[in-house]
Amino acid sequence: MKDVGALGSCSSTAHGLNNLGQVVGESPDANFRIYAFATNGDGAGIYSLGVLPGRVIEQPASTAQAINDAGVIVGNIGNGSDAFLVGPGQAMSSLRTLTGASVGAIYAWGINAQGRVTGQASVSGYFHAFITGANGS
């Protein structure tokens, strides 16, 4: 077993792993704000994924849920206010904006090799499962 570390506090939780050994999850920073994290291959080098640009920091600020072998990560912002997709060397993007979805709460839970995202979204007060097109569109 290998400890992947934490972002600035004493704890972290892993939610996803790809075939390269990259781990994603959540960890509080030194101010105890919870942020999505990822590691390099084999669980080394934990780093924060931050939040969507221009957003007010919620709690949790962000949580990473899954990563594919291309290093594309999906996760959630706040308590369902948005979901995100972020690839290597790219800025975090709103899944709500990418899909054009007009829904209430939205959560991303998985991503496959083609970049298709699965999750759940609130439609007319009820949660429904969804799947996106390639690259979260």
Side-chain angles (χ1 to χ4, degrees), residues 32 39 42 44 54 63 67-68 73 93 95 102 107 122 125 128 133 135-136:
F32 300 101
T39 70
D42 295 324
T63 60
I67 182 170
N68 67 15
I73 300 164
S93 297
L95 199 59
S102 177
Y107 298 92
S122 174
H128 294 264
N135 302 314

Side-chain angles (χ1 to χ4, degrees), residues 48-111:
S48 174
L49 296 174
V51 296
L52 285 166
R55 291 291 179 98
V56 172
I57 295 177
E58 301 177 47
Q59 186 66 334
S62 58
T63 60
Q65 298 297 327
I67 182 170
N68 67 15
D69 289 345
V72 181
I73 300 164
V74 295
N76 302 304
I77 301 294
N79 232 350
S81 67
D82 210 336
F84 70 84
L85 181 136
V86 62
Q90 298 176 340
M92 188 181 281
S93 297
S94 163
L95 199 59
R96 187 183 299 274
T97 301
L98 287 173
T99 62
S102 177
V103 296
I106 183 170
Y107 298 92
W109 301 120
I111 185 166

